[in-house]
Amino acid sequence: MRPEVCVGAVVRRGGEVLLIKRANPPQAGRWSIPGGRVEAGESLHDALRREVLEETGIRVDVVRFIEVVERVSVGHHFVILDYLAAPTDPTDAAGPQAATDAAEARWIPVHDLVSYDLSDGLLDFLRNHALV
């Protein structure tokens, strides 16, 4: 199994963060940040914008790089480059619409994150980087 390069987006809008409920393994049924695999020939920023748009319908601007996270378990090895991003139009009334790998997508108030079934390590990651 070869490692796969992926991107993840911490998208903030005021006191909210954009999360998706994962539709597929790993971590299916749990809430996470949008993201996915980088396609051949695609820049990391283009992959990030594409993945967020595909999973949530929200267009974003990349703000800055956060950290590399590695996830290895049976059947997969992901090297994930996580970025902070901001919605291109924070006043978009349509809101997130789940698609592709997302069963649900929504803006979640930061103070409510503890009541969601978040993917492994997500809350600590967000706290360690002062993102919530």
Side-chain angles (χ1 to χ4, degrees), residues 20-33 35 101-103 119:
I20 60 149
K21 190 173 200 179
R22 296 186 53 82
N24 302 309
Q27 306 277 332
R30 299 182 80 187
W31 291 89
S32 188
I33 60 175
D101 296 334
S119 59

Side-chain angles (χ1 to χ4, degrees), residues 4-18:
E4 295 184 71
V5 177
C6 301
V7 290
V10 177
V11 184
R12 291 290 311 265
R13 181 182 75 171
E16 300 172 310
V17 64
L18 180 64

Side-chain angles (χ1 to χ4, degrees), residues 29-76:
R30 299 182 80 187
W31 291 89
S32 188
I33 60 175
R37 292 175 182 86
V38 176
E39 296 176 357
E42 186 176 41
S43 76
L44 295 171
H45 287 191
D46 286 346
L48 188 82
R49 288 187 288 266
R50 176 186 52 77
E51 283 289 342
V52 175
L53 183 61
E54 285 178 359
E55 292 183 348
T56 71
I58 301 290
R59 293 185 186 283
V60 297
D61 296 316
V62 179
V63 175
R64 68 175 170 84
F65 175 72
I66 301 171
E67 179 182 48
V68 174
V69 176
E70 189 173 30
R71 296 283 183 243
V72 181
S73 67
V74 176
H76 70 269

Side-chain angles (χ1 to χ4, degrees), residues 105-124:
R106 65 176 71 150
W107 290 108
I108 297 175
V110 169
H111 58 79
D112 289 345
L113 288 175
V114 294
S115 63
Y116 282 78
D117 183 18
L118 302 177
S119 59
D120 292 339
L122 178 59
L123 189 57
D124 288 338

